[in-house]
Amino acid sequence: METELKEMLSDLDNLQQSLSDPSYQASLAKMRSHVENLTSLVNSGQGRRSKVKDMSAEVVDSNPYSRLMALQRMGIVDNYERIRDFSVAIVGIGGVGSVAAEMLTRCGIGRLLLYDYDKVELANMNRLFFRPEQCGMTKTDAAVQTLSDINPDVVLESYTLNITTVQGFETFMASLTNKTHSLSKDGTGVDLVLSCVDNYEARMVVNQACNELNQTWMESGVSEDAVSGHIQLLIPGETACFACAPPLVVASGVDERTLKREGVCAASLPTTMGVVAGLLVQNTLKYLLKFGQVSPYLGYNALKDYFPTMQMKPNPQCSNAACLERQEEYNLTKPARDAAAKAKMDAEALIVTESAMHLDNEWNICVVDDEEQDKKDAHTHDVLPEGLVHELPSADEFQKPTAQEESFNSADDLEELKRQLEALNAD
Amino acid sequence: METELKEMLSDLDNLQQSLSDPSYQASLAKMRSHVENLTSLVNSGQGRRSKVKDMSAEVVDSNPYSRLMALQRMGIVDNYERIRDFSVAIVGIGGVGSVAAEMLTRCGIGRLLLYDYDKVELANMNRLFFRPEQCGMTKTDAAVQTLSDINPDVVLESYTLNITTVQGFETFMASLTNKTHSLSKDGTGVDLVLSCVDNYEARMVVNQACNELNQTWMESGVSEDAVSGHIQLLIPGETACFACAPPLVVASGVDERTLKREGVCAASLPTTMGVVAGLLVQNTLKYLLKFGQVSPYLGYNALKDYFPTMQMKPNPQCSNAACLERQEEYNLTKPARDAAAKAKMDAEALIVTESAMHLDNEWNICVVDDEEQDKKDAHTHDVLPEGLVHELPSADEFQKPTAQEESFNSADDLEELKRQLEALNAD
């Protein structure tokens, strides 16, 4: 459109120079103003907003972050604006990944890395996000187009590649470890990887990359009949990796690719995929901004509105070498973690006593219900003396298993793992 | 844009007529072709697809319904294409309503009626659906623009009005009872009403309308701290209406409007609203297309990923007169319903015996697990002899309480209701 409009302006220039009659000049000036109006409409990106320097909590209609910053005033999140420091990689920009990307973009995430090799088709229109006019574009290009219009504050990196190829895997690894945007020196260049792919092979590749890089990630999936799904948190060495408990179809030696027959496609629904994307990004926000409890595994059975949960410990016989390395590292740091957990519990006991004494409470009656205790657990770094926080950084992490949980012997673990494996594949 | 382009064409016409010199004619012809190109770009709706006559199950990239029709092949839905016969009204096109509308549109719903009086603001950009360039448009206009681009097969009716005003309520009632698009003579002109409003007053108006019209509806809501939500099915006379169990804040005599202070806004998240919209539309699909179990009430606690469910029976002391009328009607038809339920159970027992005898099973061993029995319950009309289906239409409905459940006395009911009321307000 821009090209057509530029050419018309130059045509008008030529005509205006060659036609001296004032009656023509008026007509040409009118046309020029039409072309200029159209140009400004097109260039405005149809109303694209400019970037915002700081997230404001001001309650005005023009503030895109007012309802998010309100999470602080409501006591849910300590520092919402921290979200701008985080980088999240989303692998697979389909029915779940695209919606997850839109949610994170609207939440004002700092940086999104998007990976997909596929193109948008009309057959994708039964799920949210992509629009019919984007058919034929790569999913990554279409996503960048839409997301940058929605929130120009988010840094978007798009990788149009297949991570299951050698070349694709190399670029994938290099992009995850690029620390240009990273504030901390530890870890990779991203804070979380979200797997939103639709096949076992690609999941195993994400698993391999995250095990090698010691990168925490979340897995998501939707069944072929479109009426169930799940999300799962994977922390290398600490939780089961994707190879620790493979799906039954793979465990029994069937190649998934031979299961897909020509002309047969999986069913899908925008509802199931929207729910799974919502649960995935909600847990991403809880993980990054440290509020609530991050679910280790959460299933969604749409027919019965049933949401199974479970925890999966790593398999000491896992076939993935990098997983075994991470398990060993995790076990080596166990005494330090136990000590930190104990110190944290002691410190909390102290706070409960102290705060009870400082309450504006004539009779010194103090009721601490479960929910309040949970909140205290999540926000301990608010109340702890400053020095204590810096001495116990790892105790501030979420979902540490208790010493008792870890004292299972490995035979029990395998029995448990088998049961969980069956449960995982049942839905 | 269209106006600017039309005026330019007429300017060109005038110039072409008055300028006879061939050198100018060439230049004008070039400009005309530019204007024509721009017009076709604008008119094409940037690649809008044409309407589809029948939903096809063909597995090709260009078929927008292939993944939905696959629900039939997977055995989830008997006849997916029936979705085109249904009309759904959505009241409130905000963070939940707009996403619900998009999901239903992408599912190919027959007709959507959209109600809202508000305008799109940048402050809405932290939720899905609306785009920054739509700021200043009414939410109904913006929704129609987006939804008609996504799926031109859906009939969209938009009502830019406030249902809590006298005039607004009249138009609301008239639109719900307009039977122009309705296939059946029974009931209103819509199959389901979804309430996606954000305040008590508007919910009570939807409740009033649906009680008066004997219209089944679903209520949805998200808490002010953005981390919990719920959906609820309301069948006049059969389940509690919204006035049967009012929220505690209203029951205690506090006017909700005085609670909203100047400069203080509720928090909101695209995740929570996306999950609630997904659960709402999933249950809408289950209700309309008769598969799975429709949840009478489903809560979502995002901090703990906890999903409480419950059932609420009508309050015989409900303050809403229309609710009491519907309760009376429902009680009058109880003997007929009980008989139909019994006949259905007997028929099913017969089928189990018959199918067991016809199994390709040498030893006549028959294992019916819970899940299979549930499937049978949901799809009984597949297996029943044809005549039997037509004699028992009402038994084909979902979620009928058993005779035992209904035999509670009303004192128990009130105790139960109080407990449920407290649970409802706790999240």
Side-chain angles (χ1 to χ4, degrees), chain B residues 14 41 55 61 73 125 164 175 265 301 328 334 363 411:
Chain B
N14 291 341
L41 271 173
M55 281 187 173
D61 288 341
R73 203 179 42 245
M125 292 308 131
T164 66
S175 63
C265 75
N301 175 326
E328 203 173 329
K334 187 175 180 304
W363 305 98

Side-chain angles (χ1 to χ4, degrees), chain A residues 119-161:
Chain A
K119 283 188 176 173
V120 180
E121 305 286 359
L122 267 185
N124 305 137
M125 292 308 131
N126 70 320
R127 281 148 279 175
L128 299 179
F129 192 75
F130 291 116
R131 301 189 303 268
E133 69 260 27
Q134 296 177 315
C135 287
M137 291 175 77
T138 64
K139 287 183 178 174
T140 45
D141 282 351
V144 167
Q145 179 190 63
T146 301
L147 299 176
S148 58
D149 276 350
I150 289 173
N151 191 346
D153 297 333
V154 179
V155 176
L156 296 166
E157 290 179 21
S158 100
Y159 299 90
T160 311
L161 53 81

